[in-house]
Amino acid sequence: MTQDYLGSLFSVAGKTALVTGGATGIGRMIAEALVRAGAGVLIASRKGEACEAVARELNALDAGGTAEGFAGDVGTEAGVVALASEVKARTAHLHILVNNAGKTWGEPLEHFPHKAWGGVFSVNVAGLFTLTQQLLPLLEAAAGDDDPARIVNLGSVMGAAPIGDNAYSYAASKAAVHHLTRILAKEFAPRRITVNAFAPGPFQSRMTAFATGDEHKRALVAASVPLSRIGRPDDIAGALLFLCGRGGAYTTGAIIPLDGGIGVETGHKIFGEASL
């Protein structure tokens, strides 16, 4: 009975999902969570062979869902249109869209180049928006009053708190993702589509390999997190299945902090010593 109850709240069995940038990092965690929970998952990124390899790995899990990988680029308008066409050729209904694909650029302030803005925003913001726009008919086809279609965008704690860390365009783009998430949540509610975002802190991924690539580096990063660890795949999976299952059907416009408490740090205590 307990399992039936949990399944009624968090199952995505029989649903079709698209995860962009799903071959590595948080995207890979998301794709696996959806497959394990019973969804049919389309995985797309610029490296089609990597997506195909991940799909084979996920299908070998003998889980409730299935995976299919192929190439898709959200960095240009032509790439987005081509990706949307690929998705439409594979399904007439899209219950879940996870806009995970992302790009970053890190360089000290004095040397941060102008070109680091256009490339990052084209993927993280424009690509996210245009792909959502292109796939809206498929999302509407899957949407219902009791079970809305779901969009989950990948923001960042760097878009929620004033953290630059030499990734200025990335941080600004993720703030834009958060704001766009709220705008689309408002506009899509009448269409029975929820729109939410994750604001992750440090997780192990290719993008964060410079800081999480080995055990020593991970320990240093973990020491700076209030909960004293970096994120794990289950942290992503739990939040994702909440948003995409029945339990999250009434939640829209939320920016969910998956950051171990980084986003609520407020600096030193001004009157800390005087109050003792």
Side-chain angles (χ1 to χ4, degrees), residues 148 150 193-196 242-243 246-256:
R150 319 298 168 92
I193 301 169
T194 68
V195 189
N196 297 286
F242 160 66
L243 287 181
R246 179 62 188 86
Y250 203 53
T251 300
T252 194
I255 312 299
I256 297 181

Side-chain angles (χ1 to χ4, degrees), residues 249-274:
Y250 203 53
T251 300
T252 194
I255 312 299
I256 297 181
L258 301 176
D259 62 14
I262 294 174
V264 292
E265 287 186 306
T266 55
H268 65 279
K269 297 179 180 179
I270 298 175
F271 302 113
E273 294 298 323

Side-chain angles (χ1 to χ4, degrees), residues 45-139:
S45 76
R46 287 186 302 110
K47 298 183 178 180
E49 291 183 0
C51 293
E52 293 170 7
V54 168
R56 288 193 294 270
E57 292 171 7
L58 297 181
N59 288 329
L61 294 174
D62 194 26
T66 59
E68 182 179 355
F70 52 93
D73 182 9
V74 299
T76 67
E77 182 179 7
V80 170
V81 171
L83 173 55
S85 295
E86 287 286 339
V87 175
K88 291 172 183 176
R90 288 169 166 80
T91 182
H93 300 79
L94 190 64
H95 302 89
I96 300 165
L97 169 61
V98 182
N99 287 306
N100 168 79
K103 183 176 183 178
T104 189
W105 191 300
E107 206 159 337
L109 175 65
E110 291 80 3
H111 305 290
F112 199 83
H114 182 83
K115 66 181 180 180
W117 290 90
V120 169
F121 268 76
S122 68
V123 173
N124 297 359
V125 184
L128 178 155
F129 176 85
T130 306
L131 182 63
T132 301
Q133 177 193 61
Q134 291 288 314
L135 295 179
L136 192 53
L138 272 62
L139 290 160

Side-chain angles (χ1 to χ4, degrees), residues 125-270:
V125 184
L128 178 155
F129 176 85
T130 306
L131 182 63
T132 301
Q133 177 193 61
Q134 291 288 314
L135 295 179
L136 192 53
L138 272 62
L139 290 160
E140 288 186 296
D145 289 342
D146 294 326
D147 189 14
R150 319 298 168 92
I151 298 172
V152 180
N153 297 325
L154 260 291
S156 171
V157 67
M158 295 179 71
I163 303 170
D165 277 0
N166 292 335
Y168 302 101
S169 57
Y170 175 83
S173 75
K174 293 303 183 177
V177 168
H178 296 177
H179 195 55
L180 186 57
T181 294
R182 297 186 183 100
I183 290 171
L184 295 182
K186 179 180 178 181
E187 295 188 3
F188 287 2
R191 302 176 186 234
R192 302 302 183 259
I193 301 169
T194 68
V195 189
N196 297 286
F198 291 153
F203 281 76
Q204 192 169 355
S205 70
R206 186 176 62 186
M207 187 178 288
T208 65
F210 71 95
T212 64
D214 60 51
E215 187 173 346
H216 175 67
K217 290 179 179 179
R218 288 193 293 274
L220 291 176
V221 173
S224 69
V225 178
L227 287 179
S228 301
R229 67 173 176 86
I230 67 170
R232 297 191 289 253
D234 284 351
D235 300 318
I236 292 290
L240 177 76
L241 296 180
F242 160 66
L243 287 181
C244 295
R246 179 62 188 86
Y250 203 53
T251 300
T252 194
I255 312 299
I256 297 181
L258 301 176
D259 62 14
I262 294 174
V264 292
E265 287 186 306
T266 55
H268 65 279
K269 297 179 180 179
I270 298 175

